[in-house]
Amino acid sequence: MRYVSTRGNSDLPEFCDILLGGLAPDGGLYLPESYPQVSATELAEWRELPYAALALRILQKFITDIPACDLKSIADRTYTARTYRHCRPGRDADDITPLTTLEPGFHLLELSNGPTLAFKDMAMQLLGNLFEYVLDKRGEEINILGATSGDTGSAAEYAMRGKHGVRVFMLSPEGKMSAFQRAQMYSLPDENIHNIAIRGMFDDCQDIVKAVSNDAAFKAQYKIGAVNSINWARVAAQVIYYFKGWFEATTNNDEQVSFCVPSGNFGNICAGHIARMMGLPIHCLVLATNENDVLDEFFRTGVYRPRRTAETYVTSSPSMDISKASNFERFIFDLVGRDPAVVRELWAKVDAGGSFDLNGTPFMARLQDFGFVSGSSTHADRLATIRDIWQCYDTMIDTHTADAVKVAREHIESGVPMVVLETAQPVKFSETIVEALGRQPLRPSDFVGLEDLPQRVEVMDADADVVKASIVKICV
Ligand SMILES: *Cc1c(COP(=O)(O)O)cnc(C)c1O
């Protein structure tokens, strides 16, 4: 399998060549040259497979430059009941992503049972094992530099902790994350994990990462890498649970399922789009946003209008507080018939701070063929939904999942099961749970007392040179 850039660069790298990088050299995002197809026979054979075996079948279609036995060992190590043990009482951790049925035809797919209680573990845990494998093979090292406002940073640290050849430098805005999120990251004792709290906002952290990455000499000398949401391997890992969820919600291969996905950077739902392009019988992909409704606006109107940072709302589903969706270019590439010239033209506008409008183009009509519908949700909707699901089904959901449940209910079609992707556990966002339910969220037993553990973090000014100096100090 070879990979193309959405902006049309001519070299066609393989999976391991793009694993450790981010953007393609031309500024585009990588996608498979063509989507591998899943036959009816394969679907029938895969129905009863355990998660790791299913993962192997799917990953083998995307990864042809790692021998099958090595890939199998990576998949077996990644998807274990031990890693995904934080499931609801009565659920089976062996399922990795258990399905909770709220009522017939309306389900939650639990993606947040991993080490950091958010769905980002599903992809990041695989990435950690793939990185270690490829770096060992090549005798190389990498220093991952990232910025986080919460879920991504902790998922990356838990995936990379103790891995050979990998160090993580994670920047977070001082005092801006929840006590639980801070404790998750800063209490890690592993020597290869370095937490840096920046005196500033999340955007300052991101600017520092950009400044360091733009210093080509420093980047090369200190082998700076990233694990951000445009990483192709993360998207590929997310394709797996659409298959798993589809199997769990159906009894035979002629049934269709709709998935509702709480969306920010369009990474999660992009994996659903790819599963559908591979032939998985997905009826609708229902995209849910919070007040930051850039993507909902696009699917309703055909206008993609990234917001300015100052126009971005701070909400109670903070992992969806985005001003533009970094993976969206992948979907548009498919929508415009994979013509990189059109993508370059559209993103020339986006990269210059503008927007684009597909009305009046042939692509508007094709939008329907891809199965997307959308909706958005507010803080009041989240509170009402969390309350309702708790009262009706005795099930506690987090704020992001609540956004999706609210929107999913607006798109139910009779005879088509709806699967809502549950992207985090309520304990990560306890303030809003208390506001909705008047009680503390449930806390998996391993996390009792988390906030009391000793923490390791260095506080620094929002200055790229200071951060660089600290990387240099640690790397000598
Ligand atoms: C990251 C995240 C999302 C958004 O996922 P995207 O892939 O960016 O669309 C939704 N919910 C939670 C809890 C997250 O951490």
Side-chain angles (χ1 to χ4, degrees):
M1 171 65 69
R2 295 200 167 262
Y3 288 85
V4 290
S5 160
T6 51
R7 303 206 189 166
N9 72 327
S10 53
D11 63 325
L12 295 171
E14 291 191 88
F15 182 86
C16 292
D17 301 323
I18 61 173
L19 173 67
L20 303 172
L23 292 173
D26 60 2
L29 280 67
Y30 286 113
L31 275 174
E33 198 175 15
S34 63
Y35 291 119
Q37 296 300 300
V38 174
S39 68
T41 322
E42 279 174 312
L43 264 193
E45 283 168 6
W46 292 358
R47 179 168 281 280
E48 303 301 331
L49 291 181
Y51 198 98
L54 176 65
L56 176 65
R57 302 296 189 287
I58 294 168
L59 292 173
Q60 273 182 309
K61 292 188 178 279
F62 294 118
I63 308 174
T64 48
D65 53 345
I66 295 180
C69 57
D70 292 352
L71 198 55
K72 177 177 186 310
S73 126
I74 290 170
D76 287 343
R77 268 184 286 135
T78 302
Y79 303 107
T80 66
R82 194 181 144 63
T83 302
Y84 292 95
R85 67 182 176 277
H86 309 297
C87 52
R88 290 197 165 84
R91 297 277 166 279
D92 189 350
D94 281 322
D95 288 343
I96 308 297
T97 59
L99 194 75
T100 289
T101 298
L102 296 179
E103 55 183 69
F106 197 67
H107 315 272
L108 296 177
L109 185 64
E110 294 182 28
L111 303 180
S112 50
N113 297 336
T116 73
L117 308 183
F119 92 102
K120 294 200 168 61
D121 290 329
M122 293 305 307
M124 214 67 96
Q125 287 288 318
L126 177 69
L127 210 60
N129 287 326
L130 285 170
F131 270 36
E132 187 174 54
Y133 173 83
V134 170
L135 291 167
D136 269 353
K137 271 254 139 109
R138 297 182 174 178
E140 288 176 13
E141 292 190 349
I142 195 169
N143 290 305
I144 293 167
L145 177 65
T148 188
S149 55
D151 290 342
T152 309
S154 54
E157 291 188 354
Y158 279 77
M160 304 296 167
R161 61 186 298 198
K163 295 274 185 276
H164 326 145
V166 186
R167 284 193 202 92
V168 178
F169 296 87
M170 191 56 66
L171 313 185
S172 53
E174 189 191 15
K176 304 291 188 304
M177 296 189 299
S178 73
F180 186 88
Q181 287 177 319
R182 279 201 304 272
Q184 271 190 312
M185 289 177 51
Y186 302 167
S187 68
L188 279 178
D190 305 80
E191 268 185 31
N192 68 331
I193 304 295
H194 304 276
N195 288 300
I196 301 176
I198 295 293
R199 296 187 184 97
M201 309 293 291
F202 173 62
D203 283 328
D204 298 311
C205 300
Q206 250 182 337
D207 288 345
I208 294 172
V209 171
K210 270 187 214 144
V212 175
S213 305
N214 287 341
D215 179 344
F218 186 88
K219 188 177 176 194
Q221 185 177 357
Y222 291 97
K223 303 183 173 57
I224 303 295
V227 289
N228 43 27
S229 78
I230 54 150
N231 183 292
W232 162 252
R234 282 181 61 180
V235 179
Q238 292 170 174
V239 170
I240 301 162
Y241 53 70
Y242 283 89
F243 281 83
K244 185 73 180 161
W246 182 83
F247 286 125
E248 290 185 42
T250 59
T251 51
N252 74 68
N253 287 357
D254 301 323
E255 286 177 63
Q256 295 231 327
V257 170
S258 291
F259 287 92
C260 183
V261 188
S263 294
N265 272 319
F266 204 81
N268 198 354
I269 201 163
C270 186
H273 160 68
I274 291 168
R276 193 170 182 274
M277 299 297 277
M278 292 170 74
L280 187 69
I282 294 177
H283 180 60
C284 275
L285 288 162
V286 184
L287 180 143
T289 71
N290 61 19
E291 290 88 335
N292 296 293
D293 60 353
V294 194
L295 289 168
D296 175 38
E297 181 176 87
F298 172 79
F299 285 102
R300 279 185 297 101
T301 68
V303 177
Y304 181 57
R305 186 175 63 86
R307 313 297 199 247
R308 283 189 296 276
T309 312
E311 292 175 291
T312 307
Y313 299 96
V314 176
T315 76
S316 48
S317 43
S319 299
M320 292 153 66
D321 292 349
I322 51 102
S323 52
K324 55 175 183 288
S326 50
N327 273 293
F328 189 52
E329 187 171 331
R330 289 195 159 105
F331 172 69
I332 293 294
F333 182 62
D334 286 341
L335 181 70
V336 303
R338 300 199 140 208
D339 182 344
V342 177
V343 174
R344 282 199 300 270
E345 195 184 312
L346 296 175
W347 257 267
K349 295 178 191 172
V350 171
D351 290 340
S355 56
F356 62 75
D357 181 353
L358 297 185
N359 287 285
T361 70
F363 312 124
M364 204 57 201
R366 297 196 60 202
L367 208 45
Q368 258 119 72
D369 304 340
F370 289 90
F372 278 82
V373 292
S374 72
S376 69
S377 160
T378 64
H379 181 67
D381 292 327
R382 281 189 281 286
L383 294 180
T385 306
I386 291 169
R387 223 173 272 141
D388 189 59
I389 298 297
W390 178 243
Q391 281 162 4
C392 297
Y393 307 108
D394 217 12
T395 299
M396 200 183 282
I397 56 171
D398 99 293
T399 52
H400 305 77
T401 309
D403 286 327
V405 167
K406 186 262 179 185
V407 174
R409 285 171 154 176
E410 297 163 354
H411 292 280
I412 303 260
E413 289 174 61
S414 82
V416 184
M418 175 67 77
V419 174
V420 173
L421 302 196
E422 179 169 45
T423 54
Q425 293 205 17
V427 68
K428 297 197 90 169
F429 306 97
S430 55
E431 231 175 83
T432 310
I433 299 299
V434 170
E435 190 180 345
L437 303 179
R439 55 160 286 173
Q440 286 292 327
L442 309 168
R443 180 179 282 240
S445 56
D446 288 348
F447 293 83
V448 173
L450 176 72
E451 290 91 333
D452 304 327
L453 296 173
Q455 298 191 358
R456 281 166 60 235
V457 59
E458 255 195 278
V459 183
M460 289 179 205
D461 285 336
D463 180 340
D465 288 331
V466 175
V467 172
K468 276 188 202 168
S470 81
I471 295 175
V472 171
K473 201 173 73 198
I474 286 162
C475 291
V476 289

